[in-house]
Amino acid sequence: MIEKVCRDCYPDKEIRTSVRTSGYAWVDGKKVRPRVAKHPGPRCTTHWRDEVKRVKAVNHEKRVQGVYGLKEGEYAQLYLYQGGLCALCRRATGASRRLSVDHDHATGEVRGLLCRPCNTLLGHARDKLAFFRRCISYLTFPPCRAMREGWTEWFKDE
Ligand SMILES: [Zn+2]
Ligand SMILES: [Zn+2]
């Protein structure tokens, strides 16, 4: 006798009931042991994991629509449009941690999807273009070199 049988493994309620009392089920003419639902749902471990994933995706979709005003499915569309990568580093895929929706705090315009470090970098730079111009100068003509070569100033913002 089995207490709970996974509802996703056996969507048919009648089969679930028969499985619960007999301890086995016939699937495609084969006798199989039912997957016991140990987790809330009631679902087996595999289907419970799938369900958590599904609920998370639904919640994420609702959140990006509510907070950033994205239209339905637009996050996924933008993700594909960016080739499934962070728009800036082009390394992060969002597999371990979903890419963040980056927006212009002044206008509210959604700019794109970024990984956490890139989003943090933009925030640290306060969206200032001069910061990024300095980054380029820093890498191509670093201040220490400028100093040794006798330049009075390393970088001057326009
Ligand atoms: Zn299952
Ligand atoms: Zn990135």
Side-chain angles (χ1 to χ4, degrees), residues 4-5 25 30 34 40 45 53-54 60 67-68 78 82 84 94 113 116 127 129 143 146 152 157:
K4 279 181 185 173
V5 178
K30 271 193 248 164
T45 316
K53 227 188 205 174
R54 191 192 65 79
H60 177 260
V67 177
Y68 304 105
L78 184 55
Q82 290 188 192
L113 305 180
R116 251 243 284 221
D127 292 349
L129 293 178
T152 52
D157 277 338

Side-chain angles (χ1 to χ4, degrees), residues 86-92 99 114-119:
C86 166
L88 294 179
C89 68
R90 310 294 293 152
R91 284 195 314 268
L99 299 178
L114 298 177
C115 72
R116 251 243 284 221
C118 288
N119 205 9

